[in-house]
Amino acid sequence: MARAEIAARTLRTDRWWLPPLTTFVGLLLISIYAAFRTFQGDFYWVDQYHYLTPMYSPCLSEECLPAASHFGQPLPALPGFLTPPVVIIPFLLGFRITCYYYRKAYYRAAWASPPACAVAEPHSKYTGETRFPLIAQNLHRYFFYAASILLLINIYDAIVAFGTGVGLGNIILLVNVGLLAAYTLSCHSCRHIAGGRLKHFSKHPVRYWMWTQISKLNNRHMLLAWTSLIFVCLTDLYVALVASGTISDLRFIN
Amino acid sequence: MSYQGKFRVWRGDDSGGALEDFTVEVNEGEVVLDIIHRLQATQAPDLAVRWNCKAGKCGSCSAEINGRPRLMCMTRMSVFEESETITVTPMRTFPIIRDLVTDVSFNYTKAREVPSFAPPKDLAPGEYRMQQVDVERSQEFRKCIECFLCQNTCHVVRDHEENKEAFSGPRFLMRVAELEMHPLDTADRVDQAQDEHGLGYCNITKCCSEVCPEHIHITDNALIPMKERVADRKYDPVVWLGNKLFRRS
Amino acid sequence: MPELERHSFDVLVIGAGGAGLRAAIEAREHGMRTAVLCKSLFGKAHTVMAEGGIAAAMGNVNSSDNWQVHFRDTMRGGKFLNNWRMAELHAQEAPQRVWELETYGALFDRTKDGRISQRNFGGHEYPRLAHVGDRTGLELIRTLQQKIVSLQQEDHKEFGDYEERLRVFQEFTVTDLVKDGDRIAGAFGYWRESGRFVLFEAPAVILATGGIGKSFKVTSNSWEYTGDGHALALRAGASLINMEFIQFHPTGMVWPPSVKGILVTESVRGDGGVLRNSDGKRFMFDYIPEVFKDKYADNEEEADRWYTDQANNRRPPELLPRDEVARAINSEVKAGRGSPHGGVFLDVSTRLPAEEIRRRLPSMHHQFKELADVDITAQPMEVGPTCHYVMGGVEVDPDTGSSSVAGLYAAGEVSGGMHGSNRLGGNSLSDLLVFGRRAGAGAAEYVRAMTDRPVVSEESVTEARATALKPFQQEGGENPYTLHMELQQSMNDLVGIIRRAGEMEEALQRLEKLKERAQSLTVEGHQQFNPGWHLALDLRNMLLVSECVAKAALLRTESRGGHTRDDYPSMDAEWRRKLLVCTASGDGVAVEEKPQIPIRSDLLDLFDRTELEKYLTAEELS
Ligand code: SF4
Ligand code: SF4
Ligand code: FES
Ligand code: FES
């Protein structure tokens, strides 16, 4: 038996292409900015106020400014055009790329699989996440652990920066780690580890409580994914502008 | 109050068909299914349509309205402009029988492939004790009215007929999750979900959740937690280490 | 003529609602090769619409509850006209049937200590309804459906075929039962999809087809409820009882017009919702009948206290049995105190916090939001009576569900007697389970004890086919939709909630005319999925059953439960002793009186004498 003969790829009459297009443009712009800043290799540390951009934290190789290396410099200088962030970027990128929300976003926006609901996708074959390379999406768990460690370091950075007083940069760094923490906590893996994997919530009241709280955050995972991503860029931009002397930090104390 | 609405309804069967135009009366407070019934009673007595409860409870009247998978009985005419032409087509993913009626046996086949509830052997009827917080997750999935709109919308089978064999679809992956989270189910369904029901085909693009008339969070609460359970078993370093170190004998 | 598709089974179950599925499970577990035939898809039966819960005296919430109390409530609700044996079995077995569902995988809402939670409902003395939010019927159907799947999986393991011993034929209509002499021999029908005819040979048939609501204009029932089982039984020679008793659910939606009649669950009232007229008055206090005065509060304060302290207060009158509430709403509307769209107001928004309403009544919230654009957490609903349930049905043996025709069984709404003149909310789901199981076992026993299997004659097949094809053979006749609409209007107006002799006589005249016109119905097109043809065949059943209703209603010159006569407004103890029995006769039906079997004395002893005096004659009491 055959399906109903309907030629149109979709009969949707709304602007279904708008959300994937917006996502695509948004992700593209952010990628360009992040790539530029990564390979710029400069303006990541404000010595006067101890501001370190999250994109360069932790700074572990020998070409780092010594003051910016809160955890020493265990790595030798990186060869060629490589800059300090390339050490940590794989983890940060890996976390976001394997994130369940971003997967949805770029599968739809970049790969059109599907472009929108009830709109036919252009590919003739589809195996989803059943085989290499996409089966590697299952490694999200590893990236979650790694990103959590990086988050702790970012929090440390933000606190250390208060050693020199309080300025707008401090507030920005603080909000940034707040958003990053909310995003990381709202992760589906986190929700699962905290309590979701249990069969009997009633026997683990504390984990159940954590699970309910994380579930609330998890409902907003998409929102947190975007705000935290955009805010990281803004934080970095602010640090870069202050570090390069383009603007000066607004100080409240000191 | 009432006006003449413009409709395009797909008519035909498995040998072919086309969209047919109709102009039909629309009154205040009506839903798309009312209009289809009016067509039946006045202009097209043999127009085939499946329905039952007319209250969004039985999941019979699934179709695609202006290209969006929906229940006809729960789509109010007031959401459309009076001048709009409303297109009603059968669900695409399933073989057509006639007009708006499709053959949904794919779903019944898949339902049978999910191993049933397996309670503890020594528990007598009447002795079951479960806490409300423990049943709530599975209860959400049991709200499902089996309209099969999610099955219809999921691109894994909608756009790739050949995947029907390997993929059970969101409705039945959710059934696996429901049993997996059932406080008294004793079976282990994690490997099955991946190997037999095709969990890996789902790329969590959430169209199933978008169309579900019961607003079940299929992806967030069933599919992703199942993927996480698979990850627990196969891909988590900490769990792996834990199992190595503290393996219960 | 194309080749006739034939199947042979031990037990045929017609209908795949709660009763049908439970019967099929039982028959299959007794080793019978069983088939389920249903008009809709498997799992879509009207049972999914049941919202409130399953009444079973498990005593989980109030440990004073037991089967005797449940029995008493049921008899009271039915105004003592119930088949007491059925009411007894029902009250005794309901808890086991509910627990059994848990072993099939059902997930009811829980109490603190992990048992099945139970809720209050109209007419039930204690919280008694096992429930899942307000979608209990869906849970019941899905659970039974999944149990059937699990039995099929067992067969698959054993025989390599899922359908070896239990098969579901969906979207299939039975048009006639076939007999061999006095015994049932099978059933004849067609696939709705293709219109092709099928003959099922089977020595036992269980009717589980539900009700007759589609003969009325305003109804909560789906299109399936065309009284098929009632009519099949009549034509096969069985009798129907209590057909005059039709329950009008007090709260159906009244607006928008296209959903008029759709149910608003009684749990809204059980959870605190109150009824008000256009003056804002809680009018139910004015409608407490004498027999219920000691059980229902006569002032708002006491009624409100009841929700938190049920031991020391009487229940709010909103929770009176359904017939009382339906009549009260009817009178308020007639007196000009109705809501804008001709109902009254049902309000929970001022009684419970919005969050609580969404949690306890999720599907009601959804239903009003989507269909009427009303937010029940902020606004009152408009509700009015809607035809909901027929108490009458096939006269059966309480223990086995057997009708007077050998091999023909009935369970659920299509059977009669259990609920007397009025059914309590929550008692239908338990009825389905208790008597579905009993009918399944009864039919299995019958088949097992049988020495020779009945044979289907070729003539009966030819005849059944000719009857089914008749609407195609004629030209220039009427459209079945027109006839159906006229039937619904007549029944609604003339044999509705409030009845009068003159109106019912007129109804009978109209029915005669409709029957004549139905002889020459014409449908266009072909046999494949043709709704016009389907309706034409259903119409035959509706007309037959409507005649039973109208005739019986005209004869019963009293008011009781789901039968209210304007010209005989009070209950008459003499009439309690009589049943009206409807049988096929000529091309119509005949209705006769038959004495009721006296209630067993140990069951009578469960009641106070003063209470019995309200219902029984002096002679019965002595
Ligand atoms: S989330 Fe998965 S199951 Fe749901 S529609 Fe998308 S691919 Fe299909
Ligand atoms: S999960 Fe939702 S969309 Fe899918 S069948 Fe059930 S009710 Fe329909
Ligand atoms: S799911 Fe998005 S970060 Fe884990
Ligand atoms: S008819 Fe039941 S869901 Fe639409």
Side-chain angles (χ1 to χ4, degrees):
Chain A
M1 283 223 289
R3 298 185 180 197
E5 215 169 70
I6 301 168
R9 192 166 152 242
T10 182
L11 291 166
R12 278 180 69 162
T13 50
D14 55 340
R15 284 184 294 171
W16 56 264
W17 42 266
L18 193 59
L21 186 66
T22 320
T23 310
F24 185 79
V25 172
L27 289 177
L28 191 68
L29 291 178
I30 286 174
S31 310
I32 293 171
Y33 176 81
F36 164 72
R37 282 287 291 148
T38 300
F39 293 106
Q40 189 179 28
D42 204 354
F43 308 129
Y44 53 88
W45 171 250
V46 180
D47 204 39
Q48 194 183 1
Y49 307 125
H50 292 187
Y51 294 159
L52 174 63
T53 166
M55 281 195 190
Y56 280 68
S57 169
C59 210
L60 297 172
S61 50
E62 276 172 5
E63 69 265 50
C64 291
L65 297 168
S69 296
H70 295 156
F71 300 91
Q73 299 185 337
L75 301 179
L78 299 169
F81 59 90
L82 296 184
T83 51
V86 300
V87 178
I88 54 160
I89 282 246
F91 299 101
L92 286 180
L93 210 59
F95 184 47
R96 299 247 172 191
I97 283 184
T98 58
C99 160
Y100 288 99
Y101 165 68
Y102 284 106
R103 270 143 83 179
K104 170 194 166 192
Y106 62 76
Y107 284 143
R108 282 195 186 195
W111 191 241
S113 173
C117 300
V119 179
E121 59 180 46
H123 315 283
S124 65
K125 266 191 93 64
Y126 173 89
T127 53
E129 302 181 338
T130 55
R131 52 178 83 165
F132 189 79
L134 291 184
I135 197 166
Q137 302 281 30
N138 283 308
L139 300 180
H140 186 56
R141 189 74 62 83
Y142 286 91
F143 289 115
F144 166 70
Y145 293 136
S148 307
I149 297 170
L150 293 175
L151 171 67
L152 292 179
I153 293 174
N154 288 162
I155 294 175
Y156 175 84
D157 296 338
I159 294 169
V160 165
F162 281 101
T164 60
V166 181
L168 180 58
N170 290 94
I171 307 299
I172 291 178
L173 285 178
L174 207 60
V175 173
N176 177 54
V177 292
L179 285 171
L180 283 177
Y183 168 65
T184 311
L185 272 177
S186 70
C187 164
H188 285 276
S189 290
C190 176
R191 180 177 183 229
H192 174 75
I193 296 163
R197 57 191 299 182
L198 297 171
K199 201 163 183 133
H200 299 102
F201 284 147
S202 55
K203 295 191 186 141
H204 305 85
V206 178
R207 290 181 70 185
Y208 174 59
W209 180 85
M210 291 197 307
W211 179 83
T212 47
Q213 300 308 311
I214 291 174
S215 296
K216 281 182 202 156
L217 278 179
N218 180 263
N219 270 334
R220 303 204 169 72
H221 193 56
M222 163 174 153
L223 184 71
L224 290 168
W226 279 105
T227 43
S228 67
L229 185 66
I230 293 170
F231 208 85
V232 166
C233 294
L234 293 178
T235 309
D236 176 74
L237 183 64
Y238 186 82
V239 173
L241 291 176
V242 176
S244 62
T246 318
I247 59 170
S248 56
D249 189 32
L250 179 68
R251 301 302 288 173
F252 307 126
I253 301 172
N254 260 327
Chain B
M1 278 285 179
S2 70
Y3 65 95
Q4 296 295 314
K6 291 199 283 297
F7 276 77
R8 280 195 307 165
V9 182
W10 194 88
R11 302 215 54 192
D13 53 30
D14 64 348
S15 60
L19 290 167
E20 251 177 57
D21 288 293
F22 295 96
T23 303
V24 55
E25 181 186 321
V26 178
N27 302 315
E28 198 195 350
E30 286 186 326
V31 293
V32 171
L33 186 59
D34 290 318
I35 311 304
I36 299 292
H37 280 154
R38 183 159 303 128
L39 278 178
Q40 249 182 8
T42 56
Q43 306 179 34
D46 59 348
L47 174 64
V49 58
R50 195 184 262 139
W51 65 288
N52 204 325
C53 67
K54 220 167 165 290
K57 294 221 165 93
C58 71
S60 302
C61 63
S62 308
E64 302 189 4
I65 300 167
N66 281 350
R68 312 192 80 154
R70 314 208 38 158
L71 295 177
M72 284 186 273
C73 71
M74 295 302 269
T75 307
R76 289 217 307 274
M77 286 304 297
S78 58
V79 302
F80 304 107
E81 301 290 327
E82 292 194 3
S83 56
E84 213 173 321
T85 302
I86 297 161
T87 312
V88 188
T89 49
M91 289 194 280
R92 277 208 199 208
T93 306
F94 310 121
I96 187 74
I97 292 175
R98 210 155 72 81
D99 303 341
L100 299 175
V101 178
T102 54
D103 173 3
V104 292
S105 54
F106 165 70
N107 302 289
Y108 290 93
T109 309
K110 292 296 173 187
R112 270 185 192 161
E113 289 167 6
V114 180
S116 299
F117 172 55
K121 291 245 164 3
D122 52 349
L123 211 54
E127 284 176 2
Y128 286 45
R129 295 289 177 274
M130 295 179 254
Q131 292 302 317
Q132 186 62 33
V133 291
D134 296 342
V135 298
E136 262 161 15
R137 273 188 302 178
S138 297
Q139 278 185 334
E140 181 193 4
F141 308 146
R142 292 183 72 86
K143 288 196 309 202
C144 169
I145 57 173
E146 301 211 325
C147 63
F148 307 131
L149 284 172
C150 56
Q151 303 281 89
N152 168 54
T153 315
C154 178
H155 69 117
V156 177
V157 284
R158 185 181 177 96
D159 298 337
H160 305 277
E161 180 74 27
E162 70 280 5
N163 286 342
K164 279 190 178 169
E165 185 71 32
F167 184 62
S168 292
R171 161 62 186 121
F172 298 102
L173 287 165
M174 179 175 91
R175 165 80 172 139
V176 177
E178 173 206 318
L179 289 166
E180 186 60 30
M181 295 176 192
H182 189 300
L184 288 176
D185 184 66
T186 56
D188 180 345
R189 301 163 190 277
V190 174
D191 292 334
Q192 269 168 15
Q194 187 80 339
D195 304 337
E196 277 153 48
H197 305 300
L199 181 60
Y201 281 86
C202 164
N203 69 353
I204 50 163
T205 36
K206 286 203 171 175
C207 288
C208 49
S209 310
E210 243 173 67
V211 299
C212 177
E214 286 293 303
H215 307 295
I216 302 173
H217 296 97
I218 307 172
T219 320
D220 286 347
N221 289 349
L223 303 175
I224 293 177
M226 282 315 289
K227 283 191 177 243
E228 284 295 305
R229 279 167 170 73
V230 171
D232 265 354
R233 182 144 317 164
K234 298 193 171 165
Y235 308 102
D236 186 305
V238 180
V239 172
W240 176 82
L241 200 67
N243 283 345
K244 275 261 142 112
L245 294 179
F246 309 107
R247 172 157 298 158
R248 287 189 201 115
S249 47
Chain C
M1 218 180 277
E3 184 77 29
L4 182 69
E5 184 180 338
R6 281 171 188 263
H7 297 278
S8 172
F9 285 92
D10 297 326
V11 175
L12 277 190
V13 181
I14 306 179
L21 296 185
R22 188 62 191 85
I25 290 168
E26 195 65 17
R28 154 68 178 75
E29 287 191 327
H30 277 72
M32 295 293 130
R33 287 192 64 244
T34 307
V36 180
L37 317 181
C38 52
K39 291 210 278 189
S40 280
L41 289 175
F42 185 31
K44 308 290 180 205
H46 196 56
T47 311
V48 301
M49 298 294 284
E51 291 156 344
I54 315 177
M58 296 182 283
N60 289 352
V61 170
N62 188 325
S63 57
S64 319
D65 201 10
N66 57 37
W67 78 260
Q68 286 92 342
V69 187
H70 191 183
F71 171 79
R72 274 204 301 259
D73 289 344
T74 304
M75 293 296 289
R76 270 178 204 137
K79 304 278 176 345
F80 279 72
L81 195 87
N82 316 52
N83 179 311
W84 48 266
R85 175 64 179 158
M86 288 178 99
E88 180 193 15
L89 288 171
H90 168 259
Q92 286 171 339
E93 294 178 4
Q96 274 132 43
R97 298 287 81 78
V98 173
W99 288 325
E100 192 171 69
L101 289 180
E102 283 198 306
T103 71
Y104 299 169
L107 286 174
F108 293 103
D109 287 348
R110 318 304 297 181
T111 61
K112 285 249 166 346
D113 60 352
R115 295 167 204 253
I116 297 172
S117 168
Q118 299 184 270
R119 69 153 54 114
N120 281 304
F121 229 60
H124 292 279
E125 188 164 342
Y126 297 113
R128 188 176 284 147
L129 269 64
H131 58 95
V132 188
D134 51 5
R135 53 162 192 88
T136 316
L138 176 65
E139 183 73 10
L140 183 88
I141 280 289
R142 203 60 82 229
T143 303
L144 293 174
Q145 182 184 352
Q146 286 164 351
K147 174 65 182 176
I148 286 193
V149 166
S150 95
L151 290 170
Q152 291 180 326
Q153 288 171 345
E154 280 174 23
D155 281 1
H156 183 65
K157 228 179 249 158
E158 202 173 324
F159 304 102
D161 178 4
Y162 285 110
E163 297 180 330
E164 178 68 25
R165 286 182 293 186
L166 182 50
R167 183 163 170 196
V168 181
F169 293 81
Q170 49 184 7
E171 304 199 303
F172 185 91
T173 302
V174 172
T175 57
D176 274 302
L177 297 178
V178 206
K179 284 169 76 179
D180 176 7
D182 294 336
R183 299 185 295 167
I184 286 292
F188 182 87
Y190 62 93
W191 291 107
R192 298 177 75 80
E193 185 185 297
S194 62
R196 277 187 296 113
F197 292 119
V198 185
L199 173 71
F200 287 89
E201 290 166 299
V205 170
I206 301 174
L207 299 172
T209 52
I212 64 164
K214 271 294 152 190
S215 305
F216 290 79
K217 186 159 174 245
V218 181
T219 174
S220 64
N221 294 175
S222 79
W223 63 264
E224 293 192 280
Y225 270 35
T226 50
D228 295 7
H230 290 83
L232 288 172
L234 278 178
R235 287 198 297 266
S239 47
L240 308 184
I241 53 170
N242 293 352
M243 290 305 289
E244 64 276 33
F245 298 108
I246 292 182
Q247 184 173 79
F248 288 83
H249 194 290
T251 57
M253 292 175 81
V254 296
W255 198 89
S258 66
V259 294
K260 190 163 179 160
I262 286 181
L263 212 61
V264 179
T265 175
E266 197 163 328
S267 333
V268 175
R269 283 169 287 140
D271 287 345
V274 294
L275 290 165
R276 292 206 176 90
N277 61 21
S278 55
D279 306 335
K281 180 170 182 223
R282 262 179 90 172
F283 58 83
M284 280 309 298
F285 290 102
D286 304 341
Y287 292 93
I288 307 172
E290 207 43 54
V291 286
F292 287 116
K293 281 264 191 288
D294 50 336
K295 296 252 181 265
Y296 288 85
D298 50 15
N299 60 81
E300 295 200 20
E301 293 69 33
E302 181 175 353
D304 285 347
R305 280 197 307 270
W306 177 87
Y307 289 102
T308 45
D309 176 10
Q310 290 158 18
N312 299 312
N313 296 289
R314 290 172 296 173
R315 337 165 46 95
E318 275 87 4
L319 295 181
L320 275 161
R322 288 177 175 172
D323 52 331
E324 309 287 353
V325 184
R327 275 195 297 270
I329 295 178
N330 202 53
S331 336
E332 285 297 306
V333 175
K334 278 211 172 140
R337 293 188 291 269
S339 68
H341 298 103
V344 294
F345 296 105
L346 170 60
D347 187 19
V348 269
S349 62
T350 56
R351 313 268 304 170
L352 289 176
E355 200 32 60
E356 192 66 13
I357 296 174
R358 271 192 293 268
R359 197 181 64 75
R360 289 210 220 171
L361 301 164
S363 34
M364 276 305 109
H365 181 248
H366 183 74
Q367 180 177 319
F368 272 86
K369 189 96 228 150
E370 302 280 323
L371 292 174
D373 207 9
V374 165
D375 179 0
I376 66 167
T377 64
Q379 295 157 270
M381 300 163 239
E382 279 186 66
V383 296
T386 173
C387 173
H388 183 51
Y389 189 90
V390 58
M391 269 66 74
V394 181
E395 187 176 19
V396 291
D397 167 50
D399 291 73
T400 62
S402 170
S403 74
S404 55
V405 174
L408 185 62
Y409 294 74
E413 189 171 351
V414 67
S415 69
M418 157 71 206
H419 304 288
S421 67
N422 179 42
R423 174 176 71 79
L424 292 187
N427 269 1
S428 68
L429 292 187
S430 40
D431 169 16
L432 305 180
L433 295 170
V434 169
F435 295 104
R437 176 183 152 277
R438 283 191 163 269
E445 273 322 307
Y446 168 79
V447 175
R448 183 167 299 149
M450 196 171 48
T451 46
D452 62 319
R453 283 174 88 98
V455 188
V456 176
S457 69
E458 278 317 305
E459 302 87 81
S460 45
V461 175
T462 321
E463 200 189 313
R465 185 200 294 266
T467 320
L469 285 176
K470 202 168 158 220
F472 287 115
Q473 253 86 67
Q474 307 173 125
E475 263 169 49
E478 281 178 279
N479 171 338
Y481 293 99
T482 323
L483 244 66
H484 186 210
M485 262 155 50
E486 284 181 37
L487 170 69
Q488 291 182 316
Q489 195 71 53
S490 306
M491 291 302 284
N492 226 70
D493 296 350
L494 306 176
V495 202
I497 304 192
I498 311 288
R499 299 164 174 174
R500 292 172 196 86
E503 288 181 356
M504 286 185 283
E505 277 153 11
E506 194 193 329
L508 282 167
Q509 282 166 12
R510 286 205 208 168
L511 281 172
E512 273 313 309
K513 292 215 186 79
L514 285 171
K515 259 176 11 191
E516 258 164 54
R517 286 159 62 191
Q519 289 299 320
S520 55
L521 278 183
T522 304
V523 292
E524 288 170 34
H526 35 79
Q527 273 169 258
Q528 205 196 26
F529 219 114
N530 186 337
W533 180 44
H534 300 168
L535 183 59
L537 294 175
D538 293 343
L539 206 51
R540 173 171 81 123
N541 298 339
M542 286 189 267
L543 285 168
L544 200 61
V545 174
S546 300
E547 198 180 331
C548 278
V549 176
K551 281 199 168 144
L554 182 60
L555 281 181
R556 188 172 277 271
T557 48
E558 65 156 351
S559 292
R560 177 187 297 273
H563 172 64
T564 306
R565 296 271 308 240
D566 213 24
D567 40 2
Y568 296 92
S570 54
M571 198 153 73
D572 175 354
E574 275 305 328
W575 265 111
R576 197 208 67 79
R577 306 171 73 181
K578 288 184 266 187
L579 292 178
L580 291 174
V581 183
C582 180
T583 47
S585 138
D587 69 340
V589 300
V591 176
E592 278 163 16
E593 279 180 23
K594 178 183 155 178
Q596 179 69 293
I597 306 168
I599 304 177
R600 214 172 63 219
S601 63
D602 60 314
L603 294 176
L604 265 191
D605 292 343
L606 295 172
F607 297 91
D608 278 352
R609 208 184 148 81
T610 43
E611 180 170 14
L612 290 179
E613 278 164 3
K614 295 176 196 161
Y615 298 101
L616 271 54
T617 59
E619 184 192 337
E620 287 171 283
L621 285 169
S622 60

